[in-house]
Amino acid sequence: MVVPASSRPRALRLPRLLSRPGFHLFLTGALMVLGFVLAHRLSERSGRDQLSALSTERLELYASNLSAELGRHASLPSLLAIDPTLRALMQTPADAEARHAASQMLARVNVRAGTSQIFVADAQGQVLSASEPLTPPPRLAEAQAQGRTHFFAADPTTGSTDFYLLHVLRQANRTTAVIVVRFNLAPLEATWVDLGARSQGERILVADDQDVVIMSSVQPWKYTVLGHADPSRRQALQASARYPQAIGADLELPASLEVHQGQQVLLPLPGAKPMLAQQRQLVPLGLRLIALSDLTEVRQRAQIAAWGGAAFGASIGLLILYLSSRRRALRQLTQAQTQLQQAHAQLEQLVDSRTAELRQTNDALKAQIAQRLQTEGELLQASKLAVLGQMSAGLSHEVNQPLTALRALARNSQRLLENGRQDAVATNLQLMDDMVERMSQITRQLKSFARKADEQVTGSTPLLDCVRNALLLLEHRSRAMDLQTDVDIPAGLRVRAEANRLEQVLVNLFGNAMDAMQAGDERRLHVRVAAQDAEQRVLVQVQDSGVGVGEAELPHLFEPFFTTKPAGEGLGLGLVISAKIVQEFGGTLRAVRLERGMSFEFDLSVDSWESRDV
Ligand code: ADP
């Protein structure tokens, strides 16, 4: 039953699909792409992790640096609060002397501590005493109102960010004054700029609680907003007077970066490279420290790793292709072996059945041969009888003639006896005896001729006797047609043949020759032998001067039932049977056309040449 391809189970179609070369090429391609993507991802991730770890370390360093810088003066305001000069000022704030003394003290401390400015303001923000003449920053009032201990504010003149430390002085739970220490972060920032210039791959920035960049290793980033600020917020920021200059364009960094979580960002700058952003919160100061690390190198490494992965994937694909084609080749080999074995088994079966058939055919042939032999024997006998029939007319003539003569002689003898002529009677009796002898000779020959031949070719036969016997059997014909017979055979020659059957052959050949010569005027039969094979064999030739046969008829002479004689006279078996008998004697019967007549020749094995006399 033929199953349509579409309805074949999937399980059968899948192995065929897997064994297709196209599928393996597709698989190799897919593995290449997979290898590329996986290697890229893994390499990029590990590169980013490494970069992130490095960046985190640096962030910690920057953070502690900034904290240390900011914390360096943290205790200065509280120390100043217990200074006697300032205490005296607090007692008499309006006193010019006290203010002057305090200002001088603050100027000294300012120089010693390395800060920018130190001043004391009253609750309304009016400066009571300062290390140098100054205007308090606009944010002071806001910070005081919020009770803050520090704040950042930009210096409009220098453009740098200043840090302010506050210490509130109270009396009877009421704010009387505030000590303010201001110091500048520009030197610290300068080191960052310097570091940033040296390390191209890293940028650092500090954003305040309003997401405005107040410090950065990249100067143009200063006073830009992280994330997006709409115009109203921008205005509000501008109005807050925190920043010395106009708020710059948005720095499109995500406003809420997770601490220690690497996140890829693309800076909104022409030709900007992808960066890894990380941040560190400085909670007490309300600041965020953000480090941006260049991802270019990580990406390049990921690209290289990706191509390595693709090559690996392709190798695996090719390996699978190799293994699968090897498996296919093995399978084909096994199939071929199985087919070979099957073919071998089939061949053996065929040979067995053919042998059996042959054996049967052989048996059938044997049976046919046996039947043929039997038929041939019967045919032989039939042909003999036919010859006998032919001869019967001649025989009756042959026997009648002596009988008539015998009767005449008997009557003549009676009369001679009556006349007392004893001598003449004796002569007649002798003649009668001769005639009886002749008749008994003929009947003896007939008897032996009619007898069925023995199977075996036995004994040695004197050839000349056989020829004579055969001629004797046909004597009535030869005499009637006035035939001249020449027999040229050595008297002592004995051949290996069975006498009766040899005679049968000769009778056949002589009879045919006489038939052929019946119409002609020259009637000559020549029987002769020629030695062959160093006298081991002889060729017996029966030559006549008859009509012969045509060239076209010659090949058909030895075919059964081929005859040119009128119906009732010829059977067409004589030559066939003769040839068969000669063959049994180990010879071959041939017909040769002569200039006039025919020569029928056959060879026989010589038993002995006792004498060469004819
Ligand atoms: P039959 O004598 O019964 O015809 P044969 O087998 O003896 O059968 O001969 C076959 C034929 O061969 C004869 O009919 C005859 O034509 C031809 N033939 C045989 N011997 C001779 C011969 N000596 N000369 C001419 N023709 C012959």
Side-chain angles (χ1 to χ4, degrees):
M1 191 180 73
V2 179
V3 181
S6 58
S7 69
R8 273 181 205 147
R10 283 178 70 84
L12 281 179
R13 274 186 279 155
L14 197 62
R16 195 178 299 169
L17 178 74
L18 292 179
S19 64
R20 286 213 182 126
F23 172 75
H24 283 114
L25 286 180
F26 169 75
L27 187 71
T28 308
L31 284 170
M32 257 179 89
V33 173
L34 192 71
F36 186 91
V37 172
L38 274 179
H40 191 276
R41 285 249 173 111
L42 287 174
S43 166
E44 198 182 26
R45 185 172 296 173
S46 104
R48 275 171 63 163
D49 286 352
Q50 278 181 7
L51 194 66
S52 164
L54 200 71
S55 185
T56 306
E57 266 178 40
R58 292 243 181 93
L59 261 184
E60 285 300 322
L61 209 66
Y62 283 121
S64 59
N65 202 342
L66 185 61
S67 299
E69 185 64 25
L70 296 179
R72 199 149 57 94
H73 306 291
S75 53
L76 189 57
S78 50
L79 284 176
L80 286 171
I82 55 168
D83 184 87
T85 322
L86 277 190
R87 280 177 168 274
L89 179 67
M90 289 300 103
Q91 297 299 319
T92 52
D95 182 29
E97 199 62 24
R99 282 190 183 192
H100 181 72
S103 292
Q104 280 193 329
M105 184 276 290
L106 289 176
R108 280 199 304 274
V109 172
N110 187 37
V111 171
R112 291 267 173 87
T115 51
S116 302
Q117 289 173 341
I118 302 175
F119 65 92
V120 179
D122 62 10
Q124 287 71 43
Q126 294 297 315
V127 176
L128 298 177
S129 162
S131 57
E132 58 188 91
L134 56 88
T135 323
R139 286 199 71 195
L140 181 62
E142 178 197 331
Q144 269 184 290
Q146 291 171 352
R148 298 174 70 138
T149 55
H150 59 83
F151 66 90
F152 284 93
D155 183 350
T157 48
T158 60
S160 68
T161 304
D162 291 332
F163 187 62
Y164 292 84
L165 287 169
L166 307 183
H167 186 82
V168 178
L169 299 173
R170 297 170 194 276
Q171 265 185 358
N173 220 8
R174 196 172 55 87
T175 303
T176 49
V178 60
I179 303 170
V180 180
V181 175
R182 169 190 168 189
F183 57 92
N184 195 273
L185 292 174
L188 181 65
E189 200 178 25
T191 61
W192 290 1
V193 172
D194 192 35
L195 272 175
R198 269 188 274 155
S199 146
Q200 286 295 322
E202 198 162 59
R203 310 272 184 276
I204 189 90
L205 55 93
V206 178
D208 67 2
D209 53 355
Q210 297 298 314
D211 288 336
V212 176
V213 178
I214 55 167
M215 286 174 76
S216 174
S217 63
V218 184
Q219 284 305 299
W221 290 359
K222 275 186 83 175
Y223 306 113
T224 58
V225 185
L226 293 183
H228 179 69
D230 55 27
S232 60
R233 183 163 166 242
R234 198 175 284 272
Q235 239 173 8
L237 288 172
Q238 203 82 56
S240 70
R242 287 181 174 205
Y243 313 107
Q245 58 192 70
I247 297 299
D250 298 347
L251 189 60
E252 296 272 3
L253 287 174
S256 55
L257 293 172
E258 296 277 321
V259 180
H260 296 312
Q261 280 291 311
Q263 187 168 350
Q264 187 177 312
V265 290
L266 192 66
L267 299 177
L269 300 171
K273 298 164 185 169
M275 306 287 271
L276 182 76
Q278 280 191 285
Q279 77 166 358
R280 165 87 157 82
Q281 297 275 8
L282 295 173
V283 182
L285 298 170
L287 295 179
R288 287 195 291 152
L289 203 62
I290 296 172
L292 295 167
S293 315
D294 192 352
L295 278 169
T296 312
E297 203 178 325
V298 171
R299 289 210 154 177
Q300 280 170 351
R301 277 199 211 144
Q303 288 281 343
I304 294 168
W307 284 115
F312 183 68
S315 317
I316 289 182
L318 290 173
L319 185 72
I320 291 174
L321 177 67
Y322 165 73
L323 288 175
S324 129
S325 53
R326 195 162 157 248
R327 220 185 88 217
R328 198 164 53 237
L330 276 174
R331 200 173 52 227
Q332 282 172 354
L333 193 74
T334 322
Q335 270 178 1
Q337 278 176 346
T338 316
Q339 282 171 355
L340 203 69
Q341 279 173 354
Q342 282 174 351
H344 190 253
Q346 279 177 355
L347 198 70
E348 273 189 351
Q349 215 174 356
L350 197 70
V351 167
D352 285 352
S353 74
R354 289 290 296 157
T355 312
E357 274 175 29
L358 277 175
R359 202 170 291 134
Q360 275 181 1
T361 316
N362 210 12
D363 291 347
L365 267 175
K366 274 184 190 165
Q368 275 183 12
I369 288 169
Q371 204 176 353
R372 277 279 285 279
L373 284 174
Q374 195 185 348
T375 314
E376 272 174 15
E378 282 164 7
L379 273 175
L380 197 64
Q381 199 62 16
S383 98
K384 275 186 187 176
L385 292 174
V387 173
L388 279 176
Q390 274 185 358
M391 288 189 304
S392 59
L395 275 173
S396 60
H397 167 76
E398 203 59 40
V399 176
N400 277 342
Q401 219 182 13
L403 280 177
T404 314
L406 277 176
R407 183 182 290 155
L409 282 172
R411 285 182 187 159
N412 184 252
S413 300
Q414 256 179 339
R415 260 183 248 123
L416 287 173
L417 272 177
E418 284 165 8
N419 295 338
R421 288 180 59 186
Q422 300 289 334
D423 53 337
V425 172
T427 312
N428 273 1
L429 283 174
Q430 183 57 52
L431 277 170
M432 286 165 76
D433 186 54
D434 285 354
M435 279 179 186
V436 170
E437 171 54 32
R438 183 166 170 71
M439 282 196 295
S440 68
Q441 210 178 2
I442 290 171
T443 50
R444 224 180 15 252
Q445 284 303 322
L446 275 176
K447 202 175 145 196
S448 74
F449 184 74
R451 187 169 55 84
K452 208 171 177 181
D454 294 343
E455 295 296 317
Q456 292 286 320
V457 178
T458 52
S460 74
T461 304
L463 183 60
L464 186 57
D465 290 357
C466 277
V467 172
R468 281 183 179 154
N469 287 339
L471 284 173
L472 189 68
L473 282 172
L474 296 168
E475 196 177 19
H476 63 286
R477 285 192 66 190
S478 58
R479 214 181 302 139
M481 65 188 289
D482 193 20
L483 179 71
Q484 184 195 336
T485 309
D486 298 330
V487 178
D488 192 4
I489 295 171
L493 174 61
R494 297 180 81 88
V495 290
R496 291 209 170 274
E498 211 242 322
N500 279 327
R501 300 215 279 165
L502 184 54
E503 275 172 32
Q504 188 181 348
V505 173
L506 291 169
V507 165
N508 252 317
L509 296 182
F510 296 162
N512 279 346
M514 288 172 190
D515 289 342
M517 289 185 288
Q518 196 75 48
D521 35 335
E522 192 196 333
R523 292 160 183 169
R524 186 164 176 268
L525 181 69
H526 191 185
V527 189
R528 48 184 289 213
V529 291
Q532 285 186 328
D533 283 356
E535 302 193 341
Q536 293 294 303
R537 298 183 76 79
V538 281
L539 185 69
V540 184
Q541 294 172 310
V542 178
Q543 298 173 339
D544 64 64
S545 56
V547 290
V549 294
E551 190 72 54
E553 291 160 338
L554 194 66
H556 304 292
L557 293 184
F558 295 96
E559 287 174 7
F561 305 108
F562 174 82
T563 179
T564 57
K565 293 169 193 170
E569 285 184 31
L571 273 176
L573 287 172
L575 285 179
V576 181
I577 291 166
S578 301
K580 178 84 173 51
I581 294 170
V582 170
Q583 197 183 1
E584 283 171 9
F585 295 157
T588 313
L589 178 61
R590 282 183 298 273
V592 180
R593 289 175 74 221
L594 300 178
E595 206 171 311
R596 186 191 166 100
M598 291 291 293
S599 171
F600 283 84
E601 313 173 348
F602 58 93
D603 55 319
L604 291 173
S605 169
V606 173
D607 185 52
S608 66
W609 301 79
E610 277 173 13
S611 158
R612 286 184 175 261
D613 303 333
V614 180

